[in-house]
Amino acid sequence: MRFHVLIPARLASTRLPNKPLAAIAGLPMVVQVARRAAQSGATQVVVATDSEPVAQACAAHGVQALMTRADHPSGSDRLAEACEQLGLDGDELVVNVQGDEPLIDPALIRACALTLAQQPECAVATVAHAIDSAEEFRNPNVVKLVCDAAGRALYFSRAPIPWWRDAPAPSPAQALPQAGSALRHVGLYAYRAGFLRRFPQLAASPLEQIESLEQLRVLWHGERIAVHLSLTRPGPGVDTPEDLERVRSLMGASP
């Protein structure tokens, strides 16, 4: 199976400035991510950035990087441009790995790509795992999803879904739905390159704007999203200085 890993990386971050260059075990975070991704068996791993310092850091550590425009509104738009620059055929598989996931499991990257390869009727694949905490189930920062019988996404929401028809209002003591029915979405995506190039031209959907979830645009326009159900919870990403220190601790490393 051939697949490519593209890693969008930009310096602008309100909670953690210069995040891709934050040092973890003596290497910039984006380089750590690229090295993990390379262990997935990807045909190539490429960082797509609008920052010369990020491109220079990648070059210094043997990681391929592409310079992309600075005005892209999302990582998906940046990767669409990267697909054009790389000249990828429409049927090529592209996995979008976020540049702030230095603990990403290489096997999960490959599993996401394989899920898409095995479901030719789908344009996108993503990952989910079971929710085992009522607090997490109610948290709007945790994106939930529900799937159909074939393991394809029906809907993504910040609300607790699925929900019982006769359930009372959510409370701290509220139990979870039937075991295994509450799923947390993991922001790892595989795309067919042709669809990824087309995605920025698709009109944003009302549901996407309400939930602030870009993947709802895919469903709104009638495309299918295959879902790989992971038995394990992925390692934490890095959004804040506190996250960075936690990841450094988990990796047993100082800056």
Side-chain angles (χ1 to χ4, degrees):
M1 178 184 61
R2 282 175 50 88
F3 67 97
H4 310 265
V5 170
L6 298 183
I7 303 171
R10 55 195 296 268
L11 283 182
S13 173
T14 56
R15 290 184 287 181
L16 185 59
N18 299 322
K19 182 165 65 170
L21 300 179
I24 300 176
L27 292 173
M29 186 190 311
V30 69
V31 173
Q32 291 282 16
V33 174
R35 290 189 173 186
R36 298 276 287 197
Q39 297 173 31
S40 69
T43 303
Q44 63 177 342
V45 176
V46 181
V47 172
T49 185
D50 60 359
S51 163
E52 284 286 358
V54 170
Q56 291 167 3
C58 289
H61 296 284
V63 174
Q64 184 180 355
L66 290 176
M67 289 298 299
T68 56
R69 300 199 322 266
D71 60 349
H72 287 304
S74 73
S76 300
D77 295 87
R78 192 173 308 284
L79 296 193
E81 182 189 348
C83 282
E84 293 286 357
Q85 289 196 39
L86 292 169
L88 298 183
D89 291 339
D91 290 332
E92 292 272 16
L93 305 183
V94 176
V95 181
N96 176 359
V97 175
Q98 296 303 313
D100 57 6
E101 298 282 349
L103 292 174
I104 187 74
D105 183 354
L108 194 61
I109 297 173
R110 186 171 186 84
C112 188
L114 183 61
T115 297
L116 185 58
Q118 292 176 335
Q119 300 196 45
E121 75 281 5
C122 296
V124 182
T126 192
V127 175
H129 66 81
I131 293 176
D132 56 12
S133 159
E135 180 181 2
E136 188 174 60
F137 184 55
R138 295 190 308 272
N139 186 346
N141 294 316
V142 173
V143 178
K144 278 71 67 174
L145 75 155
V146 288
C147 297
D148 66 12
R152 297 176 300 229
L154 287 170
Y155 192 65
F156 298 81
S157 182
R158 298 184 182 280
I161 56 172
W163 192 253
W164 310 263
R165 184 191 66 176
D166 299 323
S171 68
Q174 180 66 56
L176 286 165
Q178 183 179 352
S181 63
L183 300 174
R184 177 176 186 161
H185 179 229
V186 177
L188 178 67
Y189 295 95
Y191 300 89
R192 299 192 192 282
F195 175 76
L196 183 55
R197 286 198 296 267
R198 184 164 60 89
F199 181 77
Q201 279 71 55
L202 296 177
S205 79
L207 295 174
E208 171 190 357
Q209 294 169 333
I210 291 169
E211 298 259 19
S212 190
L213 295 175
E214 190 179 67
Q215 61 269 37
L216 290 175
R217 189 187 314 179
V218 180
L219 299 180
W220 177 265
H221 287 280
E223 299 288 353
R224 291 175 172 173
I225 301 177
V227 179
H228 169 72
L229 295 182
S230 174
L231 297 179
T232 59
R233 178 184 294 266
V238 177
D239 289 317
T240 66
E242 294 76 19
D243 293 338
L244 178 59
E245 292 309 315
R246 178 169 58 157
V247 167
R248 285 170 173 166
S249 176
L250 288 170
M251 296 182 72
S254 58

